[in-house]
Amino acid sequence: GAGVSQSPSNKVTEKGKDVELRCDPISGHTALYWYRQRLGQGLEFLIYFQGNSAPDKSGLPSDRFSAERTGESVSTLTIQRTQQEDSAVYLCASSLGNTQYFGPGTRLTVL
Amino acid sequence: GENVEQHPSTLSVQEGDSAVIKCTYSDSASNYFPWYKQELGKRPQLIIDIRSNVGEKKDQRIAVTLNKTAKHFSLHITETQPEDSAVYFCAATYSGAGSYQLTFGKGTKLSVIP
């Protein structure tokens, strides 16, 4: 079946612009996660959605970052007034149980 | 909350040798420990996992061991091959009450030298 998909695969933007990243989870997966991975670094947790529960936003680095999820489907991560330090790969994952299935990521470059 | 420490950060081995990566965790309630492999430019993928009711699990050349008393778990790769070169992440969580959030270690970059 289809795996987790993300769009766009690459995004180049200018400092100060807003960007929106999209994640389509595996159908039926109740949990959805966003991570940030800087070059050569680990997986930095950003936000976690589980069913209809309030999302865990404890990993969002600043109020410029926000995310939404419509029911148990698509999620969007929005970064407002982008900064150069926001440059990274943004990974989305979904799960029904413990195993997280990752998408291919969106590579964001802020010039 | 949970904290996972992973060592070493980089590891180089000769092809055919064994590789061992170690992780420690802080929350004694954690009961599920997966390992993910991320090849260069690719997404992380689950390669093996272990639950706290067992001490060891094997899958061909890969094995994971768990010591609940010491709160550490390890990944063992035998007869390493060049295609094992990747970054490996360990993780830990309490699996229950409907929460599946993982705490990841910072990763180990494994290089297998032909």
Side-chain angles (χ1 to χ4, degrees), chain B residues 2-18:
Chain B
E2 177 65 276
N3 183 50
V4 176
E5 299 284 341
Q6 183 171 348
H7 299 280
S9 56
T10 60
L11 178 61
S12 291
V13 299
Q14 290 291 135
E15 182 177 358
D17 287 351
S18 295

Side-chain angles (χ1 to χ4, degrees), chain B:
Chain B
E2 177 65 276
N3 183 50
V4 176
E5 299 284 341
Q6 183 171 348
H7 299 280
S9 56
T10 60
L11 178 61
S12 291
V13 299
Q14 290 291 135
E15 182 177 358
D17 287 351
S18 295
V20 180
I21 303 170
K22 299 181 179 181
C23 290
T24 59
Y25 60 99
S26 62
D27 189 349
S28 57
S30 288
N31 60 2
Y32 175 69
F33 309 91
W35 286 87
Y36 284 78
K37 175 183 180 182
Q38 186 178 29
E39 297 178 19
L40 188 63
K42 302 289 182 63
R43 70 190 79 184
Q45 291 191 303
L46 178 73
I47 55 170
I48 195 167
D49 56 13
I50 191 168
R51 297 186 185 275
S52 59
N53 58 344
V54 298
E56 184 176 5
K57 184 176 179 181
K58 287 185 178 180
D59 183 3
Q60 299 183 358
R61 297 186 296 106
I62 293 173
V64 58
T65 59
L66 171 65
N67 183 326
K68 287 187 294 182
T69 303
K71 290 190 286 187
H72 68 69
F73 56 112
S74 301
L75 178 70
H76 304 253
I77 306 174
T78 59
E79 301 172 23
T80 53
Q81 302 169 3
E83 53 264 37
D84 295 329
S85 294
V87 177
Y88 292 82
F89 294 98
C90 64
T93 191
Y94 170 68
S95 175
S99 175
Y100 307 115
Q101 191 170 343
L102 297 172
T103 301
F104 285 91
K106 294 189 181 300
T108 296
K109 182 177 181 180
L110 173 64
S111 300
V112 179
I113 304 164

